[in-house]
Amino acid sequence: MSGSGAPGPGAAPCRFAHYFVLCGIDAESGLEPDELAGENFDQSPLRRTFKSKVLAHYPQNIEWNPFDQDAVNMLCMPKGLSFRTQADNRDPQLHSFIITREDGSRTYGFVLTFYEEVTSKQICTAMQTLYQMHNAEQYSSVCASSSCSMDSLASSIDEGDATSLAKLQRYNSYDISRDTLYVSKCICLITPLPFMQACKKFLIQLYKAVTSQQPPPLPLESYIHNILYEVPLPPPGRSLKFYGVYEPIICQRPGPNELPLSDYPLREVFELLGLENLVQVFTCVLLEMQILLYSQDYQRLMTVAEGITTLLFPFQWQHVYVPILPASLLHFLDAPVPYLMGLQSKEGTDRSKLELPQEANLCFVDIDNHFIELPEEFPQFPNKLEFIQEISEVLLQFGIPPEGNLHCSDSATKLKNLVLSDLVNDKKNGNIPSNALNMYELLKGNETIARLQALAKRTGVTMEKITTPLTEKEKEGKLSCEELELRDYKLNVQLREVFANRFTQMFADYEAFVIQAAPDMESWLTNREQMQNFDKASFLSDQPEPYLPFLSHFIETQMFATFIDNKIISQWEEKDPFLRVFDSRIEKIKLYNVRAPALRTSNYQKCSTLKEAAQSIEQRLMKIDHTAIHPHLLDMKIGQGKYEQGFFPKLQSDVLATGPTNNNRWASRSTTTQRRKDRLRQHSEHIGLDNDLREKYMQEARSLGKNLRQPKLSDLSPAVIAQTNWKFVEGLLKECRMKTKRMLVEKMGHEAVELGHGEANITGLEENTLIASLCDLLERIWSHGLQVKQKENPERGQRNKGKSALWSHLLQYQEREEKQEHSAESPVAVGTERRKSDTGITLPTLRVSLIQDMRHVQNMSEIKTDVGRARAWIRLSLEKKLLSQHLKQLLSNQALAKKLYKRYAFLRCEEEREQFLYHLLSLNAVDYFCFTSVFTTIMIPYRSVIIPIKKLSNAITTSNPWICVSGELGDTGVMQIPKNHLEMTFECQNLGKLTTVQIGHDNSGLLAKWLVDCVMVRNEITGHTYKFPCGRWLGKGVDDGSLERILIGELVSSTSDEELGKQCRTPPQQKSPTVARRLSITSLTGRNTKPNAGQIQEGIGEAVNNIVKHFHKPEKERGSLTILLCGENGLVAALEQVFHHGFKSARIFHKNVFIWDFIEKAVAYFETSDQIGDNEEALLLQRSSCKTFCHYVNAINTAPRNIGKDGKFQILVCLGTRDHLLSQWIPLLAECPPITRMYEENALLRDRMTVNSLIRVLQTLQDFNIILEGSLIKGVDV
């Protein structure tokens, strides 16, 4: 790719140009309509496209860059041949193209298209016949609205002008006796490196030679032979001068440590798009979305595509790259992979008429109208504002407005009076006919001139001066041409430096996170897919917070993966040139600012190398390093290649077929060096073979989601298209397998940590990124092979913005199902989500229904587009563990799938589809909250059921019960439960994951006492069901006298229809209420197994440890602290065990005694006695501890809540933990006299060593800022 291969006499890798090509009309085959270009025959014959042919190319072939005739023909004339008459504008146009080979290497083509008079009588007659047929059709079909047949041109003409119609008809017709017919022809240079400016000048001089009155100084063969065989590539870091027909041409190549060669003017890219738009498109390219450029002008497509990919340095675009998509390859737009393609817009068609299969992830760039359409929800580029500011400073220095310049093509208006040498500045090449003003002038004035000219030509008089009245200005233009070019070069390099500097700053420490796991290349290549190459989690944790949304997406891209692969491979072989330059820059900034790698700041650092970069280019252009041989006379047959003005001569192929034998100083080196070079060449060819094998291997190893880098342009047989689509299908399946596996590993890893295995390695951010990329993958699968012509259902309204293939499939399915539902009851799969409990009261079954889930999403007013709805639906299905089941149901309607998809579509390949659904099914192994956690403001219906223990209490209480449900995002407030009901539904803003339920009643009526087993609450949208175990009485004079309790929730897994007791996520020894709480109700459980001292101490350690772990997780990853404090194995339960150990008989005179009774006795003692301490300081400390302890206990006792004694103990522990007081209170309680009355000798609290170790364990919580959920301490004022 760098173009520095093995040299030899005129060896092509060292040659400036590989091929010279001539394309145009084949006189023998005549006029062949180009069906592939999707022509419509309503157009007038002059506007239709006809097949072009490669008329000649020199040399015949080069082994390292075989000539691909079809591809070159298609890209030289993407629309085929076009015809004009003398009344039309026939200015020559320049464009360039690129051919990317399978291995990613590129060849560039530079094309000048001009018009040549048709001399073949046969073709002129054919055109006349076509016109007669066309006019007959037009007149017969429409006489009234005759203007509509005249293509889009009619619109650009003033309807009020009576003569305009006649003029238009005359303009848009062809009469063999009156008109001269012209046809397009093109000359093209194919080169290994993109020397755009130099090739452009060479082709323009060649064209001038053909059209000028005087023949050129030498036959054209001399110049073509010279550029093909005698002009070398300039060596890296050097400049070269070679000769065109009339004047020398200079080109230069960056040195080994400079940014790679890029010759496309970035000035134009910024003028065409505007800075803000460009940065947005650039971000989409970095995130590997689908980018479609749209313009009437091929050169604009190429300039923007090359400009943006140039700015990616040090990364390289890894996917389909076709800056000019020929009309015959339009089926490529449904490629389900990231792509960067350019599509030529037809005159007069606007964006809305463009039918695209896939728009969910599309960035659409309408270059001519200065307008972009972005995909929904993508992260912004880091430091975007400062970045834009820095770029605009560079632009302003060069006098370019940052907002872009839609009319940057003002040169189009000058075109009529400009000489050819300046033609190239016209950026609106090929847009001239759409220019209304120009059209008008053409019709009014130029027709006469053109006719005169044609007449004059026939009589042999030349009238060239008419068209070029400006000779003085020409000279001025000449002078500034080189200065302009130098400015463009300087601007290019400075803009690229600013972009490159961003990446150098952002990835300055990337090397520290590269994982070099393989001992050698061989083993690395074989295990490439299984290996982790880059420590993503550590890298992200090291980045400034604002960068994370972008970086977490970016490090998942193929371009980043390839960059890291290149880094790893560089330990075994020569570094990739991009990587070498990038690494040397990083070393440089590390030398200059010696910052500790750990300190990542988001401070913006501007680029400091702008001046040097511009200087090195200027020096090269001012001081020429090499000069190529002059063109010279060749050994040609006399009398051939006769010069005829305006016609490109038939070239003598024998002189152009091969290069010179040692007759020039470039090739004639001393024989010894020559031999050495030959040996080297053979050696490098041998290595090249190995390299080819290795490259093939590498391609396979890396091909995730990239099975197809490039469409094969040459062969368009159905078999090849089918094979291409098959590759896409395989690629999608593989990508699905990798993505689901990655999501599982990350998530499982995370949960394994919660169970105490391994280390956490996923962040919420990363999970979000993975889910977003799954949504994107599903959109791409659904848009593969979609019948684009599928008309939207008019009832569904306009759905232009944010079209989603998946959602539109769902809508059509919904429509069919609803029709059936009206006629009969629809067979909806009923899920196994029945909740039963030992009391027989259950939550009614939640129907599993794809349609119902769609309706939930359709009711969300926050989502405005179909893409958003599809994403919400995917998230909801994933959270409900129904994604695979829903999609299976959707695809089970085969009639609909057949209607919507072509035969080759992924969704119609049965085996792959089954595997795909199976991969998605594997995601059911983990719990996602990707819907609940993203749509935090939506209203959600909940259903709650209170399950009493009927055996021992009345099912319904006579008092007025109430409930308050709390979650991570808020609470419902107190809600009265309807009398005599145990079940209720309520709607409130998303509560997030549910954490606690407060339940209570007002103790009124005869049957006020109520024994509640548990409360169940279900989110009716996601189906998540939470169980809040209670197992205690609510009522005065029973249990601990509580009229309200705080219950802690746990998510119930929906795996089976078993009893709820067996339904928690980790198989528990026994469920809440815990032993400690059961102690007070032993009579009804009959279970009185007390844990021993060792188990109790272990429980305390475990509970504290879990809280410490909680705070060591990143903030977004922490679960519920409430569960760690008050849940089954939480701190409160563990301390209850400590306080229950050795507690004297639970019943004294048939009255329950609780821990809280001991606490109150201790308070009474503290308030009445004066403690005696050994020293003053300890005494003061003890006094203040006693004081706060009494204050807290009294505050809890006087709180306006009907909380029982165990509930009060829970509040005390929570407050003590929050305010870091527990470790001070425990010794006070252990020392106070009531302990001897209420605890046995062997109680843990009476053992000094145990108490000390307990204090030490509790002190580890001192460092954490503990925030309690409001429901736990409501109404307690300390």
Side-chain angles (χ1 to χ4, degrees), residues 1072-1093:
S1072 171
T1074 56
V1075 176
R1077 299 179 186 187
R1078 294 265 189 191
L1079 282 177
S1080 42
I1081 41 173
T1082 30
S1083 56
L1084 56 99
T1085 64
R1087 193 195 271 175
N1088 201 356
T1089 44
K1090 294 185 180 180
N1092 62 32

Side-chain angles (χ1 to χ4, degrees), residues 89 91 412 415 426 428-436 438-439 442:
N89 164 54
D91 292 319
L415 213 97
D426 167 31
K428 212 167 175 185
N429 278 331
N431 271 2
I432 290 136
S434 69
N435 185 331
N438 193 27
M439 190 76 245
L442 240 159

Side-chain angles (χ1 to χ4, degrees), residues 255-260 286 310-316 496-512 514 534 539 551 554 559-560 563-564 566-567 575-590 595 600:
N257 289 322
E258 294 174 55
L259 294 175
L286 282 170
T310 294
L311 297 173
L312 296 174
F313 173 88
F315 307 104
Q316 288 159 288
R496 291 173 67 203
E497 285 289 342
V498 173
F499 278 80
N501 175 56
R502 266 331 315 115
F503 290 122
T504 320
Q505 302 288 350
M506 266 157 51
F507 293 99
D509 301 322
Y510 85 95
E511 236 176 299
V514 175
F534 189 73
F539 173 75
L551 286 175
F554 179 66
M559 70 174 84
F560 187 76
F563 173 75
I564 297 298
N566 286 340
K567 180 67 184 174
K575 259 191 193 176
D576 169 79
F578 278 53
L579 184 68
R580 192 189 60 237
V581 177
F582 188 66
D583 281 351
S584 68
R585 289 172 169 242
I586 288 180
E587 277 159 34
K588 210 163 160 188
I589 67 164
K590 283 187 174 164
R595 62 175 176 72
R600 296 299 322 221

Side-chain angles (χ1 to χ4, degrees), residues 966-1241:
S966 305
E968 291 180 347
L969 301 172
D971 67 47
T972 58
V974 170
M975 298 181 292
Q976 294 298 326
I977 298 166
K979 264 251 164 89
N980 300 332
H981 281 276
L982 291 172
E983 187 181 317
M984 68 184 270
T985 51
F986 57 91
E987 195 175 77
C988 67
Q989 192 167 315
N990 186 352
L991 298 171
K993 290 184 196 172
L994 302 188
T995 49
T996 63
V997 157
Q998 289 158 264
I999 182 173
H1001 63 73
D1002 62 359
N1003 207 36
S1004 60
L1006 290 169
L1007 300 169
K1009 295 170 185 164
W1010 201 21
L1011 180 57
V1012 176
D1013 179 39
C1014 65
V1015 176
M1016 308 287 301
V1017 182
R1018 180 173 68 202
N1019 176 325
E1020 294 289 273
I1021 291 184
T1022 66
H1024 281 314
T1025 306
Y1026 294 83
K1027 180 183 180 185
F1028 298 86
C1030 176
R1032 305 286 295 265
W1033 285 91
L1034 286 166
K1036 280 272 183 266
V1038 63
D1039 201 339
D1040 65 347
S1042 182
L1043 286 186
E1044 65 173 271
R1045 293 197 183 278
I1046 300 166
L1047 310 179
I1048 308 301
E1050 63 201 22
L1051 182 66
V1052 179
S1053 72
S1054 55
T1055 42
S1056 67
D1057 198 358
E1058 292 172 71
E1059 271 199 6
L1060 281 177
K1062 300 180 190 147
Q1063 279 204 332
C1064 49
R1065 263 174 59 198
T1066 46
Q1069 266 54 60
Q1070 126 242 345
K1071 261 308 176 204
S1072 171
T1074 56
V1075 176
R1077 299 179 186 187
R1078 294 265 189 191
L1079 282 177
S1080 42
I1081 41 173
T1082 30
S1083 56
L1084 56 99
T1085 64
R1087 193 195 271 175
N1088 201 356
T1089 44
K1090 294 185 180 180
N1092 62 32
Q1095 288 169 329
I1096 292 174
Q1097 285 176 289
E1098 216 169 274
I1100 282 278
E1102 186 84 355
V1104 170
N1105 213 354
N1106 284 337
I1107 295 174
V1108 172
K1109 270 190 193 167
H1110 169 88
F1111 283 102
H1112 279 292
K1113 289 181 191 171
E1115 204 164 322
K1116 289 182 182 137
E1117 310 318 315
R1118 298 173 186 171
S1120 161
L1121 187 58
T1122 306
I1123 290 176
L1124 299 182
L1125 288 169
C1126 310
E1128 184 195 350
N1129 298 317
L1131 184 62
V1132 173
L1135 282 169
E1136 269 181 5
Q1137 300 271 23
V1138 172
F1139 277 88
H1140 270 292
H1141 189 263
F1143 200 44
K1144 282 186 183 166
S1145 149
R1147 286 168 174 244
I1148 302 173
F1149 308 117
H1150 301 288
K1151 181 171 170 280
N1152 280 350
V1153 180
F1154 293 89
I1155 302 172
W1156 192 251
D1157 297 323
F1158 164 61
I1159 300 279
E1160 288 184 325
K1161 290 222 163 61
V1163 168
Y1165 165 75
F1166 293 143
E1167 285 177 337
T1168 52
S1169 68
D1170 281 328
Q1171 293 87 8
I1172 303 112
D1174 305 338
N1175 61 23
E1176 203 60 30
E1177 203 174 311
L1179 188 64
L1180 280 171
L1181 197 71
Q1182 209 176 2
R1183 269 193 185 151
S1184 77
S1185 297
C1186 288
K1187 212 170 172 186
T1188 53
F1189 181 69
C1190 297
H1191 171 60
Y1192 275 64
V1193 173
N1194 292 331
I1196 291 168
N1197 270 331
T1198 55
R1201 284 176 76 174
N1202 297 305
I1203 296 176
K1205 293 179 176 176
D1206 282 351
K1208 289 176 177 174
F1209 179 74
Q1210 175 170 299
I1211 293 177
L1212 183 68
V1213 173
C1214 289
L1215 289 171
T1217 312
R1218 182 191 72 184
D1219 300 336
H1220 308 309
L1221 297 168
L1222 281 183
S1223 52
Q1224 296 172 26
W1225 292 346
I1226 297 280
L1228 292 177
L1229 292 169
E1231 300 292 316
C1232 73
I1235 199 162
T1236 49
R1237 295 198 297 280
M1238 300 184 77
Y1239 282 87
E1240 289 159 11
E1241 285 253 337

Side-chain angles (χ1 to χ4, degrees), residues 417 419 465 468-478:
N417 32 11
V419 289
K465 281 289 167 277
T468 56
L470 303 171
T471 38
E472 284 309 305
K473 276 199 181 157
E474 180 180 0
K475 287 173 195 154
E476 285 173 32
K478 256 295 175 14

Side-chain angles (χ1 to χ4, degrees), residues 222-274:
S222 296
Y223 303 103
I224 294 167
H225 182 277
N226 179 254
I227 199 164
L228 283 178
Y229 302 109
E230 297 170 333
V231 176
L233 278 175
R238 300 299 175 89
S239 51
L240 167 80
K241 177 158 88 173
F242 64 95
Y243 294 88
V245 183
Y246 298 114
E247 51 195 41
I249 298 168
I250 294 166
C251 62
Q252 57 91 31
R253 193 168 157 193
N257 289 322
E258 294 174 55
L259 294 175
L261 174 70
S262 162
D263 214 19
Y264 286 85
L266 285 174
R267 169 180 53 79
E268 278 185 36
V269 184
F270 280 89
E271 284 178 335
L272 287 166
L273 294 184

